Amino acid sequence: YIAKKDSTVSLKCDLGDKDHPAIKSVVYKFHKTYDLSTSKPISLDSKNKELCSEDDVPTCDLTNVQYTDKPSMQNTLDTADNHIYQCYAEITMIDDAVVKLWSHTVKLDVYYPPTKENVPVVSDPKSVSIGKAMEKLLCDLPDSNPKTKARWSFEKKDTSTWVVIDIPNDLVRGDRLVIAEDDISAISKDDIDRGMLLIMIFNEDEDQGNYKCEVVYDTEFDDADMTYERSKYEVTSNGQNDAGALLLRPVSEITKPNLVNQDSAHVNFTVYIRDTPGRGKWGDVSYVWQIEENNQDVDLEVNDYPNLQLSDHGRTLTVRDLVKYREDEFQCKIKR
């Protein structure tokens, strides 16, 4: 269930036979949790919080609902509402026997639009050495749920046309560009921020020009979609060669496990690497995707798997038959 931030959500615990003559009384209980076992209801052996305990009625109102980006932590049960909910009816029969009937669980998500900044950030001109391993252009994305995305455009030097950067279909620069989908620090040691544009192995002929980032908020839950310019850069070459050593380091882990409806059209997994392609004695980076079969990791030959597809210069694996590949594990080997 999806609710807007600061709104009120009403939970209802409906007992169909509450007026049966064998029933003496009914007490309703509501709980929420962040860690749901598939084999036990919320209130048994799970970290939970009781709701509306003083009301003892079949409805429970969550007022001024709030969002947290860490719903799996216990300390967020008191400060946010995007958690898992369940109710039960505690029924006392005429003979004083007590029966508990549990409801289905409800997963509540909370959406909210970003706060629009009225003035875009225009950076000082960047002067970059030829062949520099990686140049980072920042796009400071505001908080929202669903998350805003960065849309980068490029006006090449000596032209007057802005073109949206389409990495998967860019045959000239696509294998040297990355738009970071997550914040990364511990792995790459380069402090990559979500929304950054990374230009790898700077090319004097192809990479000089103006860059701008637009914040894109797109949601199906209301009509608050928006797009606005956030940052702008002028990037030039300083004419000097950078022949520094290259290190094979990821700028992102593979995307986190995806929980999706089995009738969804597809799900994507993407992995990124920095310092690609290689320079001098180093060859280009290649991506070898694998699937686990009989407890062994087997290289994927996509022609043998009609519902799997590689794109984005080998960095993205798309799984189209989610029933067939349910609970399968994929991984990617990065080779130079």
Side-chain angles (χ1 to χ4, degrees):
Y1 185 82
I2 309 297
K4 189 171 185 178
K5 184 180 177 182
D6 300 324
S7 67
T8 296
V9 174
S10 293
L11 304 176
K12 184 177 182 180
C13 199
D14 187 16
L15 178 63
D17 289 337
K18 58 182 177 296
D19 297 323
H20 194 282
I23 295 178
K24 180 190 296 185
S25 63
V26 180
V27 175
Y28 299 95
K29 300 288 185 180
F30 293 85
H31 296 255
K32 73 172 179 174
T33 185
Y34 64 90
D35 183 20
L36 180 63
S37 167
T38 58
S39 61
K40 298 177 181 179
I42 283 180
S43 66
L44 302 179
D45 297 331
S46 65
K47 300 175 178 62
N48 70 87
K49 179 182 179 181
E50 188 171 354
L51 305 169
C52 302
S53 57
E54 68 283 357
D55 296 336
D56 189 23
V57 292
T59 58
C60 178
D61 288 340
L62 310 177
T63 59
N64 193 33
V65 294
Q66 299 298 306
Y67 173 83
T68 176
D69 59 359
K70 297 180 174 63
S72 60
M73 298 180 65
Q74 186 174 10
N75 61 3
T76 66
L77 290 177
D78 293 324
T79 58
D81 299 283
N82 52 316
H83 293 109
I84 302 167
Y85 295 81
Q86 190 175 39
C87 75
Y88 72 86
E90 185 175 285
I91 305 163
T92 302
M93 312 300 290
I94 293 295
D95 60 1
D96 292 329
V98 176
V99 179
K100 293 182 180 181
L101 295 179
W102 293 88
S103 75
H104 296 296
T105 55
V106 173
K107 175 67 174 71
L108 176 65
D109 201 359
V110 177
Y111 75 94
Y112 65 99
T115 300
K116 180 178 178 180
E117 294 86 354
N118 293 321
V119 181
V121 177
V122 179
S123 76
D124 294 331
K126 284 181 171 284
S127 183
V128 185
S129 297
I130 301 169
K132 182 178 179 180
M134 182 171 70
E135 182 65 28
K136 300 184 292 186
L137 304 183
L138 179 66
C139 186
D140 187 15
L141 298 177
D143 293 333
S144 68
N145 185 40
K147 289 183 177 180
T148 54
K149 295 183 179 180
R151 181 168 67 199
W152 284 91
S153 299
F154 176 52
E155 182 187 51
K156 191 174 181 180
K157 182 182 178 182
D158 298 328
T159 72
S160 58
T161 303
W162 286 96
V163 178
V164 174
I165 294 176
D166 181 9
I167 293 175
N169 298 307
D170 188 338
L171 302 180
V172 177
R173 305 198 303 160
D175 60 349
R176 295 188 297 106
L177 302 178
V178 164
I179 298 175
E181 295 185 356
D182 296 292
D183 295 335
I184 310 119
S185 56
I187 298 173
S188 69
K189 300 178 182 177
D190 283 311
D191 291 328
I192 307 299
D193 294 329
R194 189 174 68 87
M196 268 187 178
L197 174 65
L198 313 179
I199 306 172
M200 304 181 191
I201 319 300
F202 187 81
N203 186 307
E204 186 178 40
D205 296 326
E206 300 294 340
D207 298 332
Q208 292 190 88
N210 295 316
Y211 294 80
K212 68 178 178 182
C213 177
E214 294 174 301
V215 172
V216 178
Y217 176 73
D218 183 10
T219 174
E220 62 187 47
F221 307 128
D222 63 17
D223 56 0
D225 296 355
M226 63 179 72
T227 300
Y228 61 92
E229 189 174 308
R230 181 66 184 126
S231 57
K232 195 169 184 179
Y233 297 84
E234 179 187 358
V235 179
T236 61
S237 168
N238 61 18
Q240 301 177 2
N241 289 301
D242 183 343
L246 296 184
L247 298 175
L248 182 66
R249 296 198 302 213
V251 298
S252 175
E253 293 181 274
I254 190 170
T255 48
K256 298 294 188 295
N258 279 262
L259 177 64
V260 295
N261 293 329
Q262 66 180 15
D263 57 353
S264 299
H266 64 272
V267 63
N268 290 330
F269 298 97
T270 301
V271 65
Y272 301 111
I273 198 72
R274 65 156 289 183
D275 296 347
T276 174
R279 181 170 62 208
K281 65 180 181 179
W282 300 99
D284 290 348
V285 166
S286 63
Y287 304 87
V288 180
W289 286 88
Q290 296 182 317
I291 186 173
E292 186 177 281
E293 292 184 350
N294 300 321
N295 296 321
Q296 290 187 330
D297 294 322
V298 178
D299 290 356
L300 276 177
E301 296 291 341
V302 291
N303 293 333
D304 298 334
Y305 296 86
N307 296 303
L308 302 179
Q309 178 183 346
L310 293 179
S311 61
D312 195 11
H313 308 280
R315 292 187 293 224
T316 296
L317 172 70
T318 300
V319 183
R320 297 198 176 277
D321 188 338
L322 303 188
V323 175
K324 181 176 181 179
Y325 294 103
R326 183 179 188 142
E327 298 185 6
D328 276 349
E329 181 176 300
F330 300 94
Q331 68 176 13
C332 182
K333 291 194 302 183
I334 306 169
K335 300 168 65 176
R336 169 172 281 154

